[in-house]
Amino acid sequence: RLVYPIRNLYGDIVNVGGRTLDPNWKEKNLRKYNYFYKWGTIDVIYGLFEHYDSIKTKHEVIVFEGAKSVYLADTWGINNGVAILTSHLNESQMKQLIKLGCNVVFALDKDVEIYKDKNIKRLCNYVNVSFIYDSKNLIDEKDSPVDKGEETFKQLYTDRFRYR
């Protein structure tokens, strides 16, 4: 497993996550993600503490589902990414994004239907929201926008849609 600390906005470690690196995790009946402490409601945004200054400087935050996507984007110099650690935005996370007061770009996995998320819809009342939608079929159904490499992500990012 890849193991990583999960920090709150103040830098305190509030949990430790682990993602399997075994490509056959389903066949072996392994969990894809494990957390040291059981989550009730995930009330943090992964990577917000680490990327806060860059987010404020760029006046934009890119929201992924998982920590792996944040790490991968970071290797390309995209250091304004965070993860909600699930496929939907909860109210606590929505409020944190509102407090940032910057543009929000959702880069969730391809199979997530952005328009069905009530908190993303509510977020639009406070900040500019856009999202990555793979209209050219550049990634597979369960992929994150970063899964096919830097150039594919940059194309998806460039072609993003404004949430209306």
Side-chain angles (χ1 to χ4, degrees):
R1 289 194 179 276
L2 172 66
V3 179
Y4 48 91
I6 300 171
R7 299 177 186 276
N8 63 18
L9 185 56
Y10 308 105
D12 303 320
I13 295 176
V14 296
N15 210 334
V16 176
R19 185 186 194 280
T20 186
L21 298 176
D22 190 331
N24 302 314
W25 63 273
K26 282 186 182 178
E27 294 82 15
K28 294 179 180 178
N29 205 24
L30 299 173
R31 293 180 58 145
K32 187 173 183 180
Y33 297 99
N34 278 0
Y35 297 99
F36 188 75
Y37 298 108
K38 185 176 173 122
W39 286 109
T41 299
I42 300 173
D43 59 353
V44 298
I45 298 177
Y46 176 79
L48 187 54
F49 171 76
E50 293 84 353
H51 293 146
Y52 185 82
D53 290 340
S54 180
I55 290 165
K56 293 304 272 186
T57 299
K58 293 179 180 181
H59 197 67
E60 178 186 84
V61 59
I62 302 172
V63 180
F64 297 102
E65 280 188 47
K68 177 196 72 146
S69 297
V70 175
Y71 283 127
L72 190 52
D74 213 30
T75 66
W76 304 329
I78 301 168
N79 49 15
N80 59 327
V82 299
I84 54 177
L85 304 176
T86 185
S87 61
H88 57 278
L89 185 68
N90 67 41
E91 188 168 351
S92 174
Q93 293 168 328
M94 178 192 67
K95 289 177 181 178
Q96 291 176 62
L97 292 173
I98 291 168
K99 285 181 183 176
L100 285 174
C102 63
N103 298 322
V104 179
V105 179
F106 283 93
L108 304 179
D109 292 3
K110 184 174 180 173
D111 62 346
V112 175
E113 297 179 57
I114 296 283
Y115 283 107
K116 289 188 175 182
D117 190 310
K118 66 180 181 183
N119 286 319
I120 293 175
K121 185 175 183 175
R122 289 175 57 203
L123 181 65
C124 293
N125 294 319
Y126 303 96
V127 296
N128 292 324
V129 176
S130 59
F131 62 95
I132 288 176
Y133 176 75
D134 181 23
S135 61
K136 297 176 183 171
N137 285 318
L138 300 175
I139 59 177
D140 296 330
E141 191 62 31
K142 299 277 186 185
D143 280 352
S144 165
V146 297
D147 284 348
K148 297 294 187 203
E150 181 178 7
E151 292 308 313
T152 299
F153 175 75
K154 286 182 177 179
Q155 181 66 53
L156 291 166
Y157 175 84
T158 299
D159 295 344
R160 70 191 178 279
F161 292 85
R162 174 112 190 242
Y163 192 108
R164 300 192 189 275

